[in-house]
Amino acid sequence: MPLRVLILGGTIEASTLARKIAGDTRLAPVLSLAGRTTKPRPQPIATRSGGFGGIEGLARFLRNDKIEAVVDATHPYADQMSTHAVAACRETGVPLASLVRAEWQRRADDRWQVVADAFAAATALGAEPRRVFLSLGRQDLHALATAPQHHYLARLIELPEQTVLPPDLRLLQARGPFDRADEERLLRDERIEIVVSKNAGGSATYAKIEAARALGLPVVMIARPHKPAGVTMADVDACVAWLHGLAPRGV
Ligand code: NAP
């Protein structure tokens, strides 16, 4: 019998892993998405969508679906899902691997101010009105309502549902990867004075950081949260090898 694998996704790495193991007869994977994106990218393996219902719900899912290995490939800022994965896997004895994307490193010519969260980012923008580019999730936008004096341009995959939003906010719906020249053009055309970003790591959304550097713009960088992990994997290939190590031979 192939190894029953749960992949916690919502990232490029999870999609890459799905592509790499699709059709692999040693593995029986299911990719789990939080269900926030109304039109998620099509996937080449089975998917499920929506929360599990906390640690207990995930532990129940692992038992009911006889999951034998979990790969946490969630985003670096999805700390709650990772906390639940560590706890549920410990409770059920299911091995857990965590794909950890390396952080972007500040270069000498970067003008970063690192802050703890989106509320601290709002404060860091200062008292004077500024033109701000927001590269955050829609769940973070309400924090910027605490600094209503600024003009915001927010780029999102999905439009926000919250009612509390900054008053002067324009939304730009787009999904990465983004190109460096396009990012520079956007920041210049919109006369952006400061960028607010998460330290997502990876290449898909790095172009805005390069563009800010090229234009000499400051970046308010929201620090990563503490994200509990199982066996840490630096890349998708290491994850595939880990799964093959757990899979029964001769399937
Ligand atoms: P989170 O705060 O860590 O998780 C909140 C709750 O959402 C979890 O407790 C869980 O609900 C559910 N959930 C999260 N990821 C899930 C998954 N892959 N499958 C099933 N349920 C999931 O996560 P988040 O920051 O809201 O992120 C949600 C999703 O978007 C994740 O899949 C993440 O990889 C992706 N994402 C997040 C960001 C970001 O900046 N946070 C950026 C890009 C992509 P229950 O407790 O009910 O199980």
Side-chain angles (χ1 to χ4, degrees):
M1 291 285 279
L3 185 81
R4 296 176 66 81
V5 181
L6 174 67
I7 302 167
L8 300 170
T11 56
I12 288 175
E13 288 85 350
S15 301
T16 305
L17 176 60
R19 221 171 32 248
K20 287 202 175 202
I21 63 176
D24 187 330
T25 53
R26 288 167 288 180
L27 306 173
V30 60
L31 173 64
S32 175
L33 301 171
R36 311 271 160 75
T37 310
T38 42
K39 281 188 201 142
R41 294 178 200 279
Q43 298 292 336
I45 62 171
T47 59
R48 66 163 299 285
S49 180
F52 297 95
I55 296 167
E56 274 320 303
L58 178 57
R60 202 175 316 115
F61 180 93
L62 297 178
R63 288 195 191 95
N64 289 349
D65 284 47
K66 301 188 172 37
I67 298 296
E68 298 166 293
V70 177
V71 176
D72 178 3
T74 54
H75 191 268
Y77 288 75
D79 55 329
Q80 187 172 304
M81 188 67 253
S82 298
T83 304
H84 293 179
V86 167
C89 286
R90 189 176 298 141
E91 188 184 319
T92 54
V94 175
L96 169 70
S98 304
L99 254 168
V100 181
R101 202 190 283 170
E103 284 191 283
W104 296 324
Q105 297 299 320
R106 184 206 308 245
R107 285 184 16 174
D109 47 352
D110 281 323
R111 295 174 60 200
W112 291 6
Q113 181 181 353
V114 179
V115 298
D117 54 32
F119 287 99
T123 305
L125 294 173
E128 287 305 309
R130 295 168 103 178
R131 295 181 67 83
V132 185
F133 179 61
L134 298 176
S135 177
L136 301 173
R138 59 188 160 146
Q139 68 273 25
D140 300 305
L141 288 187
H142 70 282
L144 280 306
T146 60
Q149 68 275 32
H150 306 295
H151 167 77
Y152 296 100
L153 175 66
R155 183 170 60 201
L156 302 155
I157 296 176
E158 204 81 7
L159 295 177
E161 291 153 358
Q162 288 117 340
T163 48
V164 186
L165 291 170
D168 186 2
L169 170 73
R170 197 149 65 78
L171 298 164
L172 190 60
Q173 204 170 3
R175 194 200 299 245
F178 299 104
D179 173 83
R180 153 101 187 258
D182 291 343
E183 295 290 64
E184 256 191 72
R185 197 172 310 115
L186 176 72
L187 297 181
R188 200 180 282 122
D189 289 354
E190 296 290 339
R191 293 177 287 113
I192 296 298
E193 297 169 288
I194 188 163
V195 173
V196 180
S197 174
K198 292 181 176 177
N199 193 330
S203 58
T205 59
Y206 189 57
K208 62 174 177 264
I209 304 298
E210 295 177 302
R213 182 188 301 138
L215 298 172
L217 296 181
V219 176
V220 177
M221 187 66 84
I222 299 174
R224 287 189 177 186
H226 169 66
K227 193 168 154 83
V231 187
T232 302
M233 306 276 154
D235 59 45
V236 171
D237 287 336
C239 241
V240 176
W242 181 77
L243 290 172
H244 283 161
L246 293 174
R249 298 190 185 282
V251 179

Short mmCIF file of all heavy atoms in Angstrom, two decimals, residues 7-11 32-37 48-55 57-58 73-84 101 136-137 139-140 157 198 227, ligand 1:
data_model
loop_
_atom_site.label_atom_id
_atom_site.label_comp_id
_atom_site.label_asym_id
_atom_site.label_seq_id
_atom_site.Cartn_x
_atom_site.Cartn_y
_atom_site.Cartn_z
N ILE A 7 -0.37 16.89 2.79
CA ILE A 7 0.47 18.08 2.55
C ILE A 7 -0.34 19.31 2.94
O ILE A 7 -1.43 19.54 2.40
CB ILE A 7 0.88 18.20 1.07
CG1 ILE A 7 1.64 16.95 0.62
CG2 ILE A 7 1.73 19.45 0.84
CD1 ILE A 7 1.80 16.85 -0.90
N LEU A 8 0.17 20.08 3.89
CA LEU A 8 -0.48 21.34 4.26
C LEU A 8 0.08 22.41 3.35
O LEU A 8 1.29 22.68 3.37
CB LEU A 8 -0.19 21.65 5.74
CG LEU A 8 -0.68 20.58 6.71
CD1 LEU A 8 -0.14 20.84 8.12
CD2 LEU A 8 -2.21 20.51 6.73
N GLY A 9 -0.79 23.01 2.52
CA GLY A 9 -0.29 23.81 1.41
C GLY A 9 -0.66 25.28 1.46
O GLY A 9 -0.71 25.90 2.51
N GLY A 10 -0.92 25.81 0.26
CA GLY A 10 -1.20 27.24 0.12
C GLY A 10 0.04 28.00 -0.30
O GLY A 10 0.08 29.23 -0.19
N THR A 11 1.06 27.28 -0.78
CA THR A 11 2.32 27.93 -1.18
C THR A 11 2.80 27.33 -2.51
O THR A 11 2.34 26.26 -2.93
CB THR A 11 3.42 27.66 -0.14
OG1 THR A 11 3.54 26.23 0.01
CG2 THR A 11 3.12 28.29 1.19
N SER A 32 -3.88 19.84 1.25
CA SER A 32 -4.89 20.59 2.00
C SER A 32 -4.69 22.09 1.83
O SER A 32 -3.60 22.61 2.03
CB SER A 32 -4.80 20.23 3.49
OG SER A 32 -5.70 21.03 4.21
N LEU A 33 -5.79 22.78 1.49
CA LEU A 33 -5.77 24.24 1.35
C LEU A 33 -6.72 24.83 2.39
O LEU A 33 -7.74 24.21 2.73
CB LEU A 33 -6.22 24.64 -0.06
CG LEU A 33 -5.38 24.07 -1.20
CD1 LEU A 33 -6.05 24.34 -2.54
CD2 LEU A 33 -3.97 24.65 -1.19
N ALA A 34 -6.39 26.03 2.84
CA ALA A 34 -7.23 26.66 3.87
C ALA A 34 -8.60 27.04 3.32
O ALA A 34 -9.56 27.18 4.07
CB ALA A 34 -6.52 27.88 4.43
N GLY A 35 -8.68 27.24 2.00
CA GLY A 35 -9.97 27.56 1.39
C GLY A 35 -10.25 29.05 1.32
O GLY A 35 -11.39 29.47 1.12
N ARG A 36 -9.21 29.88 1.49
CA ARG A 36 -9.41 31.33 1.46
C ARG A 36 -9.48 31.86 0.03
O ARG A 36 -10.13 32.86 -0.23
CB ARG A 36 -8.24 32.05 2.15
CG ARG A 36 -7.88 31.52 3.50
CD ARG A 36 -8.69 32.22 4.60
NE ARG A 36 -8.68 31.40 5.80
CZ ARG A 36 -7.65 31.28 6.62
NH1 ARG A 36 -6.57 31.96 6.38
NH2 ARG A 36 -7.71 30.49 7.65
N THR A 37 -8.78 31.17 -0.89
CA THR A 37 -8.73 31.64 -2.28
C THR A 37 -9.88 30.99 -3.04
O THR A 37 -10.00 29.77 -3.05
CB THR A 37 -7.37 31.25 -2.91
OG1 THR A 37 -6.34 31.66 -2.01
CG2 THR A 37 -7.15 31.91 -4.24
N ARG A 48 -8.13 18.79 -0.62
CA ARG A 48 -9.25 19.06 0.28
C ARG A 48 -9.14 20.54 0.66
O ARG A 48 -8.06 21.13 0.52
CB ARG A 48 -9.22 18.16 1.52
CG ARG A 48 -8.03 18.47 2.40
CD ARG A 48 -8.12 17.93 3.79
NE ARG A 48 -9.24 18.45 4.56
CZ ARG A 48 -9.30 19.68 5.08
NH1 ARG A 48 -8.33 20.55 4.90
NH2 ARG A 48 -10.33 20.04 5.81
N SER A 49 -10.24 21.10 1.15
CA SER A 49 -10.22 22.53 1.42
C SER A 49 -10.94 22.85 2.72
O SER A 49 -11.94 22.22 3.06
CB SER A 49 -10.90 23.24 0.25
OG SER A 49 -10.92 24.62 0.47
N GLY A 50 -10.40 23.82 3.47
CA GLY A 50 -11.04 24.29 4.71
C GLY A 50 -10.28 23.82 5.94
O GLY A 50 -9.54 22.83 5.88
N GLY A 51 -10.47 24.57 7.04
CA GLY A 51 -9.81 24.24 8.30
C GLY A 51 -10.23 22.86 8.81
O GLY A 51 -11.27 22.32 8.42
N PHE A 52 -9.40 22.31 9.70
CA PHE A 52 -9.67 20.98 10.26
C PHE A 52 -10.47 21.08 11.56
O PHE A 52 -11.04 20.09 12.01
CB PHE A 52 -8.35 20.26 10.56
CG PHE A 52 -7.51 20.00 9.34
CD1 PHE A 52 -6.50 20.88 8.97
CD2 PHE A 52 -7.75 18.88 8.55
CE1 PHE A 52 -5.73 20.65 7.84
CE2 PHE A 52 -6.98 18.64 7.42
CZ PHE A 52 -5.97 19.52 7.07
N GLY A 53 -10.45 22.27 12.16
CA GLY A 53 -11.10 22.43 13.47
C GLY A 53 -10.08 22.27 14.59
O GLY A 53 -10.27 21.43 15.48
N GLY A 54 -9.00 23.05 14.51
CA GLY A 54 -8.01 23.07 15.59
C GLY A 54 -7.18 21.79 15.65
O GLY A 54 -7.22 20.95 14.76
N ILE A 55 -6.45 21.67 16.77
CA ILE A 55 -5.54 20.52 16.95
C ILE A 55 -6.35 19.21 16.97
O ILE A 55 -5.99 18.23 16.32
CB ILE A 55 -4.74 20.68 18.26
CG1 ILE A 55 -3.84 21.91 18.17
CG2 ILE A 55 -3.91 19.43 18.56
CD1 ILE A 55 -3.24 22.36 19.49
N GLY A 57 -9.28 18.60 15.70
CA GLY A 57 -9.84 18.30 14.38
C GLY A 57 -8.79 17.71 13.45
O GLY A 57 -9.07 16.76 12.70
N LEU A 58 -7.59 18.24 13.52
CA LEU A 58 -6.52 17.71 12.66
C LEU A 58 -6.13 16.31 13.11
O LEU A 58 -5.95 15.41 12.27
CB LEU A 58 -5.31 18.66 12.69
CG LEU A 58 -4.09 18.22 11.88
CD1 LEU A 58 -4.45 17.98 10.40
CD2 LEU A 58 -2.97 19.26 11.97
N ALA A 73 3.88 22.49 4.43
CA ALA A 73 4.47 23.39 3.43
C ALA A 73 3.69 24.70 3.42
O ALA A 73 3.51 25.33 2.39
CB ALA A 73 4.44 22.74 2.05
N THR A 74 3.20 25.11 4.58
CA THR A 74 2.44 26.37 4.65
C THR A 74 3.40 27.56 4.62
O THR A 74 4.61 27.42 4.77
CB THR A 74 1.58 26.43 5.93
OG1 THR A 74 2.40 26.21 7.07
CG2 THR A 74 0.46 25.41 5.89
N HIS A 75 2.82 28.73 4.44
CA HIS A 75 3.59 29.97 4.32
C HIS A 75 4.31 30.28 5.64
O HIS A 75 3.81 29.94 6.71
CB HIS A 75 2.59 31.09 3.96
CG HIS A 75 3.21 32.36 3.56
ND1 HIS A 75 3.48 33.37 4.46
CD2 HIS A 75 3.63 32.81 2.36
CE1 HIS A 75 4.02 34.39 3.83
NE2 HIS A 75 4.13 34.08 2.54
N PRO A 76 5.47 30.96 5.55
CA PRO A 76 6.21 31.28 6.78
C PRO A 76 5.40 32.05 7.84
O PRO A 76 5.75 32.03 9.01
CB PRO A 76 7.37 32.15 6.28
CG PRO A 76 7.55 31.77 4.85
CD PRO A 76 6.21 31.35 4.34
N TYR A 77 4.31 32.74 7.39
CA TYR A 77 3.51 33.50 8.37
C TYR A 77 2.26 32.73 8.81
O TYR A 77 1.46 33.27 9.58
CB TYR A 77 3.14 34.88 7.79
CG TYR A 77 4.35 35.80 7.75
CD1 TYR A 77 5.33 35.61 6.78
CD2 TYR A 77 4.53 36.81 8.67
CE1 TYR A 77 6.46 36.41 6.73
CE2 TYR A 77 5.65 37.62 8.64
CZ TYR A 77 6.62 37.42 7.67
OH TYR A 77 7.74 38.22 7.64
N ALA A 78 2.09 31.50 8.35
CA ALA A 78 0.94 30.68 8.77
C ALA A 78 1.35 29.89 10.02
O ALA A 78 1.45 28.66 10.00
CB ALA A 78 0.51 29.75 7.63
N ASP A 79 1.57 30.61 11.10
CA ASP A 79 2.11 29.97 12.30
C ASP A 79 1.09 29.13 13.07
O ASP A 79 1.45 28.16 13.74
CB ASP A 79 2.75 31.03 13.22
CG ASP A 79 1.79 32.17 13.57
OD1 ASP A 79 0.92 32.51 12.73
OD2 ASP A 79 1.92 32.72 14.67
N GLN A 80 -0.19 29.50 12.95
CA GLN A 80 -1.20 28.73 13.69
C GLN A 80 -1.34 27.31 13.14
O GLN A 80 -1.38 26.34 13.89
CB GLN A 80 -2.56 29.45 13.63
CG GLN A 80 -3.59 28.79 14.52
CD GLN A 80 -4.85 29.62 14.61
OE1 GLN A 80 -4.81 30.79 14.98
NE2 GLN A 80 -5.98 29.04 14.27
N MET A 81 -1.37 27.22 11.81
CA MET A 81 -1.50 25.89 11.19
C MET A 81 -0.30 25.02 11.60
O MET A 81 -0.46 23.83 11.89
CB MET A 81 -1.58 26.04 9.67
CG MET A 81 -1.89 24.76 8.93
SD MET A 81 -3.56 24.12 9.24
CE MET A 81 -3.26 22.73 10.28
N SER A 82 0.88 25.62 11.64
CA SER A 82 2.08 24.85 11.99
C SER A 82 2.07 24.43 13.45
O SER A 82 2.48 23.32 13.78
CB SER A 82 3.34 25.67 11.69
OG SER A 82 3.39 25.95 10.32
N THR A 83 1.57 25.32 14.31
CA THR A 83 1.45 24.97 15.73
C THR A 83 0.52 23.77 15.88
O THR A 83 0.82 22.81 16.62
CB THR A 83 0.88 26.19 16.52
OG1 THR A 83 1.75 27.29 16.30
CG2 THR A 83 0.79 25.90 18.00
N HIS A 84 -0.59 23.80 15.14
CA HIS A 84 -1.55 22.69 15.22
C HIS A 84 -0.95 21.40 14.65
O HIS A 84 -1.18 20.31 15.18
CB HIS A 84 -2.83 23.04 14.44
CG HIS A 84 -3.60 24.16 15.06
ND1 HIS A 84 -4.77 24.64 14.52
CD2 HIS A 84 -3.38 24.90 16.18
CE1 HIS A 84 -5.23 25.63 15.28
NE2 HIS A 84 -4.40 25.80 16.27
N ARG A 101 11.11 27.90 4.18
CA ARG A 101 11.66 28.77 3.14
C ARG A 101 12.65 29.76 3.78
O ARG A 101 12.31 30.38 4.79
CB ARG A 101 10.49 29.53 2.54
CG ARG A 101 10.74 30.07 1.17
CD ARG A 101 9.63 31.01 0.77
NE ARG A 101 8.40 30.39 0.36
CZ ARG A 101 7.26 31.07 0.16
NH1 ARG A 101 7.21 32.37 0.34
NH2 ARG A 101 6.17 30.45 -0.21
N LEU A 136 0.71 42.67 1.61
CA LEU A 136 0.32 41.92 2.81
C LEU A 136 -0.90 41.07 2.47
O LEU A 136 -1.55 41.29 1.45
CB LEU A 136 -0.08 42.88 3.94
CG LEU A 136 0.98 43.88 4.42
CD1 LEU A 136 0.36 44.84 5.41
CD2 LEU A 136 2.16 43.15 5.04
N GLY A 137 -1.23 40.15 3.34
CA GLY A 137 -2.46 39.38 3.16
C GLY A 137 -3.66 40.24 3.54
O GLY A 137 -3.53 41.23 4.26
N GLN A 139 -5.94 39.62 5.55
CA GLN A 139 -6.22 39.55 6.99
C GLN A 139 -5.41 40.57 7.79
O GLN A 139 -5.67 40.78 8.97
CB GLN A 139 -6.03 38.13 7.54
CG GLN A 139 -4.59 37.62 7.57
CD GLN A 139 -4.16 36.97 6.26
OE1 GLN A 139 -4.69 37.28 5.19
NE2 GLN A 139 -3.20 36.07 6.32
N ASP A 140 -4.40 41.20 7.13
CA ASP A 140 -3.54 42.16 7.84
C ASP A 140 -3.98 43.61 7.62
O ASP A 140 -3.51 44.50 8.31
CB ASP A 140 -2.09 42.02 7.35
CG ASP A 140 -1.55 40.63 7.60
OD1 ASP A 140 -1.59 40.19 8.76
OD2 ASP A 140 -1.11 39.97 6.63
N ILE A 157 -4.22 38.80 -3.59
CA ILE A 157 -4.75 37.76 -4.48
C ILE A 157 -6.28 37.80 -4.44
O ILE A 157 -6.96 37.67 -5.44
CB ILE A 157 -4.25 36.36 -4.04
CG1 ILE A 157 -2.73 36.29 -4.19
CG2 ILE A 157 -4.93 35.25 -4.85
CD1 ILE A 157 -2.11 35.01 -3.70
N LYS A 198 6.01 41.51 4.12
CA LYS A 198 6.43 40.41 4.99
C LYS A 198 7.74 39.87 4.44
O LYS A 198 8.00 40.00 3.23
CB LYS A 198 5.38 39.31 4.99
CG LYS A 198 4.09 39.72 5.65
CD LYS A 198 3.10 38.57 5.64
CE LYS A 198 1.85 38.96 6.40
NZ LYS A 198 0.82 37.90 6.36
N LYS A 227 7.39 29.86 14.28
CA LYS A 227 6.60 28.84 13.57
C LYS A 227 7.15 27.47 13.98
O LYS A 227 8.25 27.09 13.53
CB LYS A 227 6.76 29.07 12.07
CG LYS A 227 5.78 28.31 11.19
CD LYS A 227 5.85 28.87 9.78
CE LYS A 227 5.43 27.86 8.73
NZ LYS A 227 3.97 27.80 8.54
P1 NAP B 1 -2.85 30.31 9.94
O1 NAP B 1 -3.13 31.60 10.59
O2 NAP B 1 -1.63 29.58 10.36
O3 NAP B 1 -4.07 29.31 10.10
C1 NAP B 1 -5.35 29.70 10.53
C2 NAP B 1 -6.28 28.52 10.38
O4 NAP B 1 -6.56 28.29 8.99
C3 NAP B 1 -5.68 27.20 10.85
O5 NAP B 1 -5.80 27.07 12.25
C4 NAP B 1 -6.51 26.22 10.07
O6 NAP B 1 -7.83 26.11 10.60
C5 NAP B 1 -6.66 26.91 8.72
N1 NAP B 1 -5.59 26.54 7.79
C6 NAP B 1 -4.45 27.20 7.51
N2 NAP B 1 -3.75 26.58 6.55
C7 NAP B 1 -4.48 25.49 6.21
C8 NAP B 1 -4.29 24.46 5.27
N3 NAP B 1 -3.22 24.42 4.45
N4 NAP B 1 -5.24 23.47 5.20
C9 NAP B 1 -6.34 23.51 5.99
N5 NAP B 1 -6.56 24.48 6.90
C10 NAP B 1 -5.65 25.46 6.99
O7 NAP B 1 -2.79 30.48 8.35
P2 NAP B 1 -3.00 31.80 7.45
O8 NAP B 1 -1.83 32.69 7.70
O9 NAP B 1 -4.39 32.29 7.65
O10 NAP B 1 -2.82 31.17 6.00
C11 NAP B 1 -3.88 30.45 5.40
C12 NAP B 1 -3.34 29.74 4.18
O11 NAP B 1 -2.79 30.69 3.25
C13 NAP B 1 -2.22 28.74 4.48
O12 NAP B 1 -2.48 27.59 3.72
C14 NAP B 1 -0.95 29.46 4.04
O13 NAP B 1 0.03 28.53 3.58
C15 NAP B 1 -1.45 30.36 2.93
N6 NAP B 1 -0.71 31.63 2.83
C16 NAP B 1 -0.58 32.43 3.90
C17 NAP B 1 0.11 33.63 3.78
C18 NAP B 1 0.31 34.54 4.96
O14 NAP B 1 0.95 35.60 4.79
N7 NAP B 1 -0.17 34.20 6.15
C19 NAP B 1 0.66 33.99 2.54
C20 NAP B 1 0.50 33.13 1.45
C21 NAP B 1 -0.19 31.95 1.60
P3 NAP B 1 -8.27 25.00 11.68
O15 NAP B 1 -7.68 25.44 12.98
O16 NAP B 1 -9.74 25.00 11.61
O17 NAP B 1 -7.66 23.69 11.21
#
